[in-house]
Amino acid sequence: MQIYDCVIVGGGPGGVAAGVYAARKKLSTLLITDSFGGQSLVSSDIQNWIGVPSISGYDLGKMLETHVRSFPSLQIKEGDLVKSVTHDVTKNIFTLTTERGDVFFTKTILLTSGSRRKKLNVPGEKQFESKGVYYCSICDAPLFQDKKVVVVGGGNSAFEAIRDLLPYASSITLLHRSEVFRADPVTQEKIRAEQKVSFITNVAIEEIKGNALVENIIYRDLTSNIQTTLSCDGVFVEIGSQPNTEMVVDLIEKNTFGEIMVDHKTQATSLRGIWAAGDVTDMPYKQNNISVGDAIKAVLNIYDFFHSTQ
């Protein structure tokens, strides 16, 4: 049976960067991913990918794929996801089983499986993704110069989205299901002082509507049950994210949000032989460029791991 030096889980910017560096370091490596590009695939215009002033998520995904496939020594399994990981403590070998039933063996694992944004799951949300519905304010706030924007949520991410939108949007309305916001009091205080920000609480989102682009959002007051249609040009959904860690279950330490805890100097997890990088970790800034750097850091440490143990 073949035992890889490293298996990389995920094909977003972090996973691709890891694949490139692993190939250049001549580590026997397999990269497993359902597709290339990660969450950025839904972005119509990415303006903060360093070195490229503007690129669509689709084009970024193709560019990443082209780069990583330019290394013949790197084996790639596309169109599949890792379902489970087990560890043979005696042999120090990890076994990965995919959803399609394939089984792979490796000495080390790098998890760059990212996270998935929590969705509203209301009519119109999927239809208008990248056509007015967005999930990354840092990425997409510049698209809303002098436009009316709605932010949905009540935690720090929602208030940070408002902060990102303030230099651009003409007005920002925050819609929140509860009457109480979860964001830090200091953050709330700063945002509440902004005149072009308004707050509507105790509401449930019912639908997002429009033609070619988003034109309004419909919400229902949870006390009066009255339904209201609010005109807007865009909706930023900021109700949290779910890290893709199901495959490792209880193998490694996670925080209360389900994010993998790592040593930020090396990206090593609590279990020797597993590293993690990007949005799947407790790294606070969920950004492509940061994921790339952390994944490269992890591969370099994996390379050092082999040289220090042989």
Side-chain angles (χ1 to χ4, degrees), residues 9-228:
V9 180
V16 167
V20 169
Y21 268 71
R24 289 174 59 83
K25 285 294 185 180
K26 296 189 180 300
L27 296 172
S28 169
T29 305
L30 169 69
L31 187 152
I32 304 174
T33 184
D34 58 338
S35 61
F36 289 96
Q39 290 190 61
S40 294
L41 282 174
V42 301
S43 296
S44 59
D45 185 17
I46 300 168
Q47 299 180 357
N48 59 356
W49 179 252
I50 302 304
V52 183
S54 176
I55 187 171
S56 70
Y58 175 82
D59 287 340
L60 175 61
K62 297 305 291 183
M63 183 176 70
L64 292 170
E65 181 179 0
T66 298
H67 192 179
V68 77
R69 287 192 184 277
S70 69
F71 295 89
S73 64
L74 176 68
Q75 294 190 40
I76 297 173
K77 180 173 176 56
E78 187 184 3
D80 205 354
L81 294 168
V82 175
K83 183 179 181 180
S84 65
V85 176
T86 58
H87 181 216
D88 186 326
V89 180
T90 305
K91 297 180 180 179
N92 275 327
I93 297 296
F94 296 94
T95 301
L96 297 91
T97 304
T98 72
E99 290 190 347
R100 292 188 175 181
D102 291 328
V103 178
F104 301 99
F105 304 95
T106 183
K107 299 171 187 175
T108 67
I109 296 173
L110 172 54
L111 297 169
T112 61
S113 47
S115 64
R116 55 193 184 274
R117 292 281 185 164
K118 291 181 180 178
K119 305 294 182 70
L120 295 169
N121 294 317
V122 298
E125 180 181 21
K126 185 173 180 61
Q127 175 187 349
F128 290 107
E129 281 188 5
S130 298
K131 299 176 183 177
V133 175
Y134 294 94
Y135 302 89
C136 178
S137 57
I138 294 178
C139 309
D140 300 309
L143 301 175
F144 291 90
Q145 184 70 51
D146 300 325
K147 294 184 177 181
K148 297 179 292 183
V149 180
V150 166
V151 175
V152 181
N156 282 331
S157 62
F159 277 79
E160 287 165 4
I162 293 174
R163 182 191 62 191
D164 294 334
L165 286 159
L166 279 170
Y168 303 100
S170 59
S171 70
I172 305 167
T173 303
L174 180 65
L175 301 179
H176 184 39
R177 188 174 185 87
S178 172
E179 292 184 359
V180 179
F181 296 114
R182 302 184 307 278
D184 297 332
V186 173
T187 303
Q188 288 191 46
E189 184 178 352
K190 291 179 179 178
I191 297 300
R192 286 181 179 277
E194 298 289 342
Q195 293 187 349
K196 62 180 178 181
V197 181
S198 58
F199 304 86
I200 302 176
T201 59
N202 202 37
V203 297
I205 309 304
E206 302 274 280
E207 187 175 1
I208 298 170
K209 301 186 73 174
N211 288 305
L213 302 172
V214 166
E215 295 179 0
N216 52 61
I217 186 169
I218 300 172
Y219 64 86
R220 175 173 53 86
D221 187 290
L222 293 174
T223 302
S224 66
N225 212 36
I226 294 175
Q227 195 176 74
T228 301

